[in-house]
Amino acid sequence: LGGSMWRVSCQGEDYVYAVDLNHRKERLVAIGRGGTPEELFHRPALLITDAYNTAQLQPDVYQPAGGPGRGRMQQWRGRPAGAPAGGGGRYGGGGGDRSRVERSPQGAPWELQLLDVIMRTMRNDGKVLVAADTAGRVLEVVLALEAAWAREGLPYPVMLAGPLAGRALAAVGSLVEWMADALQRAFEFDRRNPFDLKHVRILAGPDEAARLPPGPAVVVAPLESLAAGASRRLLAAWGGDARNAIV
């Protein structure tokens, strides 16, 4: 699910080891699980950390393309090219809950920016390749896409590629007690595992994404470097079309 932070006591002194520390609130995990950050970092004799995330700014609201004043989701009101009319979601296609569609997402700025790129590309009848690692951050991306597709009732395919994708999600799904409080409460309420995905589909083989029919689609694929794996194949297949996007 995430990394570990250690507070070690030796001969009456406390030492905290916390590298690659993420101070942002996210969907999947909460900082300092098993103890609050205040308890973890309370006056140690030695703190071992880094400055990897210190320069990151967290604006209150992400301003999408088109400038301020449009709201977080206003730029998504148009229907993508080729989308069927009617249906429950903002783009049609059925399955969307109208009472939820108009609700703005409470995601992090990076999440809103990612979804903005995806929706603008899909409006242009393009495909989106999200190059990600095989574990870790990709889990946060998958949850964000699952929530967006459920909220908007989008009819277009969204997929997760990778030879171990199915096994990774199955393993993560068994660790609900270590996830963020909101996911734990949702699991306790309706007994639905957050990684029992209804919209994000696991690709059966490495070449399946390259055989997708024309039209909008989103594929999350390793490797993040685009040097090998499914992301490299999709880069070759989709990179020549100006309508497509690579994140």
Side-chain angles (χ1 to χ4, degrees):
L1 290 181
S4 298
M5 298 177 288
W6 298 82
R7 186 180 182 99
V8 181
S9 297
C10 179
Q11 298 180 353
E13 299 284 2
D14 290 335
Y15 307 90
V16 174
Y17 180 82
V19 298
D20 293 337
L21 182 63
N22 183 12
H23 54 77
R24 297 173 296 184
K25 181 180 180 181
E26 297 186 333
R27 290 179 180 270
L28 184 58
V29 293
I31 183 174
R33 194 70 195 153
T36 66
E38 291 78 9
E39 295 171 343
L40 182 68
F41 294 108
H42 180 66
R43 302 184 66 179
L46 176 65
L47 170 63
I48 303 173
T49 186
D50 56 26
Y52 185 76
N53 286 316
T54 55
Q56 293 190 7
L57 299 178
Q58 300 298 313
D60 293 334
V61 177
Y62 166 68
Q63 294 294 348
R70 301 183 67 187
R72 288 182 172 183
M73 292 280 286
Q74 297 300 314
Q75 77 281 13
W76 294 7
R77 291 189 182 277
R79 186 162 48 93
R90 189 170 287 152
Y91 306 108
D97 179 357
R98 289 184 183 273
S99 65
R100 298 176 60 194
V101 165
E102 297 303 325
R103 185 184 307 162
S104 296
Q106 301 301 315
W110 72 263
E111 179 180 323
L112 300 175
Q113 186 175 11
L114 171 64
L115 296 176
D116 180 39
V117 171
I118 289 175
M119 301 314 298
R120 284 190 285 113
T121 302
M122 292 173 62
R123 276 206 307 268
N124 196 34
D125 206 31
K127 292 180 170 63
V128 181
L129 166 61
V130 181
D133 51 6
T134 54
R137 297 299 305 168
V138 71
L139 302 175
E140 191 79 15
V141 174
V142 167
L143 287 180
L145 294 176
E146 176 74 9
W149 255 247
R151 181 174 58 246
E152 301 298 324
L154 298 176
Y156 303 114
V158 53
M159 292 160 289
L160 175 63
L164 300 177
R167 294 183 181 181
L169 293 185
V172 170
S174 65
L175 302 173
V176 177
E177 69 272 17
W178 293 99
M179 297 181 186
D181 293 338
L183 295 181
Q184 292 190 53
R185 289 193 298 267
F187 179 75
E188 293 172 358
F189 179 74
D190 59 11
R191 308 307 295 175
R192 181 177 179 273
N193 193 293
F195 285 95
D196 180 17
L197 305 176
K198 304 299 183 184
H199 303 276
V200 179
R201 183 166 61 92
I202 305 299
L203 291 181
D207 297 323
E208 185 177 351
R211 297 194 297 267
L212 285 174
V218 179
V219 176
V220 182
L223 295 169
E224 187 176 8
S225 64
L226 301 170
S231 65
R232 181 181 176 88
R233 297 190 183 192
L234 292 177
L235 174 64
W238 297 353
D241 192 332
R243 297 174 299 175
N244 300 332
I246 299 173
V247 180

